[in-house]
Amino acid sequence: MKKGRIVLGALAVLLLAAGPVEAHKVRLFATVEGKTIKGYGYFSAKSRARDCQVKALGPAGESLGQTQTDEQGEFSLEAGKRVDHRLVLTTGDGHEAEFLIRAEELPADLPGGEGQAAAGKAEETAPAAPAGSRAEEKLSPEAAPAIAQAVAREVAPLKEQIQALRRQVDEYQGRVRFSDAVGGVGFILGLAGVAFYLTARRRGQG
Amino acid sequence: MHVAEGTLSGPVLIGGAALAVAGISLGLRRLSPEDIPRVAVVGAAFFVASLIHVPIGPSSAHLILNGLAGLILGWAAFPALTVALFLQAVLFGFGGLTSLGVNAVVMAGPAVAVRLLLGRPARSPDRRVALAAGFGAGVVGVGLGCLFLALALFLSAQGFVNVARLAVAAHLPVMAVEGLITAFVVVFLGRVRPDLLED
């Protein structure tokens, strides 16, 4: 059984040597900046998907745009409507990745099914608003844009942090875990055990 | 070289699945209980191999090991590699489940071809012949795999020549590394456990 141990030892070495992997699957990540959808395709944290096609599809599957990733694996697409954009990246050799940009992430002033419905609802609720707006009027009409600017300034670093967090989560989801490798090997060994059991039973009965 | 979900057309997926089922039943039929450990270990090695990263200069190559699997298992490479591909899809997200049949044919088909073409020279007592056969097995395993992949994509309405060129070019370092590793393993097995390379 010494030779059997050599084979098992080799397998253990292979398992331990497993490191970060590239080019077995491609992933796509994107965010919205203003009216532009920006993102990148990647194989791993260190390897980007260069020169790959990125298509944007609408809720009914209609084409909303198409572009290629650049040398850094990045791309950008102008959003024309405030609808869900389903981004699909293809590498050309069998790998594909998807990412969904929801309509809510796009600016409200874009035309589109959702945006117009929201605007309609806003008009309906406007008559009920006066009570609140009267309170705002006490502040002074000139203050409103200044307040908006101040809020945007305060919120900007938060937005950046959230985007960075989303990137981290996306990359974490795509990473291969050692525990999964161990689980897979265990599954195979278990299958072998079942196979042994079945063939032993067959032989015992024969 | 794993084909993801949604890349191939329905007929290609079904055809690939049918071929894979045929290959698997052929492989299982010739399987005897003594072969089970060998099949399990090779399957597990193939499963883990895709995680192994061999740096080559600026880029790197990942192992595939389908050529070696073919030399050791022959037709049993079909069930072994299909199980491993299934686990790679479910646990790592490599490839897909609908494309499992096609991926199995892409990986195990060349494995069987390698066995048929280079099985005998790999068993040769002459170390140099075995080394060369092992190297050829590694190169052909990966190279044929790229061509099968290109064929599958072509049948799903993508330009064959372009994909083939892309896939083969991207896998040249992989072929070199596979060739070397398979060559050394073949020689090693020939010395330590020649029965693993027998039928």
Side-chain angles (χ1 to χ4, degrees):
Chain A
M1 264 318 287
K2 197 165 78 157
K3 291 161 188 176
R5 254 179 261 159
I6 292 179
V7 177
L8 280 175
L11 186 58
V13 168
L14 279 179
L15 200 54
L16 290 170
V21 70
E22 300 185 7
H24 280 296
K25 72 176 169 185
V26 72
R27 289 180 64 82
L28 178 60
F29 180 73
T31 51
V32 175
E33 280 178 41
K35 288 198 174 80
T36 318
I37 298 175
K38 286 197 188 164
Y40 58 94
Y42 65 100
F43 298 109
S44 72
K46 287 173 280 182
S47 168
R48 292 289 177 91
R50 289 186 282 266
D51 204 23
C52 298
Q53 185 199 63
V54 178
K55 278 196 289 207
L57 302 170
E62 75 273 24
S63 171
L64 294 172
Q66 187 172 311
T67 182
Q68 296 275 124
T69 57
D70 63 17
E71 273 299 305
Q72 279 77 44
E74 293 169 2
F75 70 93
S76 62
L77 271 176
E78 284 294 315
K81 291 194 286 186
R82 199 182 189 222
V83 291
D84 286 351
H85 281 66
R86 204 180 97 208
L87 301 167
V88 179
L89 177 141
T90 34
T91 61
D93 62 347
H95 291 111
E96 199 178 86
E98 276 191 26
F99 194 87
L100 180 67
I101 295 277
R102 276 181 248 278
E104 296 85 61
E105 297 180 52
L106 294 164
D109 54 349
L110 277 180
E114 292 299 313
Q116 284 170 347
K121 272 193 223 134
E123 281 169 29
E124 280 173 37
T125 55
S133 60
R134 242 178 262 137
E136 284 172 16
E137 278 176 39
K138 281 195 198 141
L139 277 173
S140 109
E142 293 92 42
I147 291 175
Q149 267 186 22
V151 169
R153 255 199 328 263
E154 292 296 313
V155 164
L158 266 183
K159 277 174 84 168
E160 275 181 32
Q161 282 181 7
I162 290 180
Q163 280 201 13
L165 186 63
R166 285 176 74 182
R167 270 171 72 154
Q168 274 187 328
V169 170
D170 191 70
E171 282 174 19
Y172 178 75
Q173 278 180 326
R175 219 181 293 161
V176 167
R177 285 175 258 294
F178 182 71
S179 52
D180 290 332
V182 173
V185 173
F187 184 92
I188 290 176
L189 295 180
L191 257 189
V194 170
F196 263 130
Y197 172 70
L198 291 174
T199 53
R201 266 185 62 200
R202 213 183 307 145
R203 263 201 286 188
Q205 289 169 355
Chain B
M1 246 206 287
H2 298 72
V3 178
E5 301 265 19
T7 327
L8 299 173
S9 66
V12 176
L13 291 176
I14 296 176
L19 283 174
V21 167
I24 293 173
S25 41
L26 254 177
L28 287 178
R29 205 180 309 159
R30 298 181 184 199
L31 208 61
S32 62
E34 297 85 46
D35 296 326
I36 292 178
R38 177 197 328 187
V39 173
V41 171
V42 172
F46 173 88
F47 167 73
V48 170
S50 58
L51 302 175
I52 295 170
H53 208 40
V54 180
I56 308 178
S59 70
S60 61
H62 50 79
L63 291 187
I64 298 179
L65 290 190
N66 65 333
L68 184 63
L71 280 182
I72 298 179
L73 299 179
W75 281 97
F78 262 98
L81 267 50
T82 307
V83 170
L85 285 167
F86 166 77
L87 291 169
Q88 284 178 340
V90 166
L91 295 173
F92 301 152
F94 299 163
L97 288 175
T98 54
S99 46
L100 186 62
V102 173
N103 284 324
V105 175
V106 165
M107 294 288 186
V112 172
V114 159
R115 169 70 173 225
L116 294 173
L117 293 170
L118 295 165
R120 191 99 61 81
R123 277 176 259 150
S124 159
D126 183 343
R127 198 135 24 115
R128 276 168 305 165
V129 173
L131 201 70
F135 186 83
V139 171
V140 170
V142 178
L144 259 188
C146 291
L147 292 181
F148 279 29
L149 171 71
L151 183 65
L153 290 170
F154 167 70
L155 290 172
S156 300
Q158 268 177 278
F160 176 78
V161 176
N162 275 338
V163 177
R165 211 183 309 154
L166 224 175
V168 171
H171 283 88
L172 280 175
V174 177
M175 283 193 250
V177 172
E178 280 274 320
L180 284 175
I181 292 187
T182 311
F184 282 119
V185 173
V186 163
V187 170
F188 172 73
L189 286 178
R191 238 183 305 147
V192 170
R193 277 205 67 175
D195 60 301
L196 276 182
L197 294 170
E198 298 294 325
D199 212 342

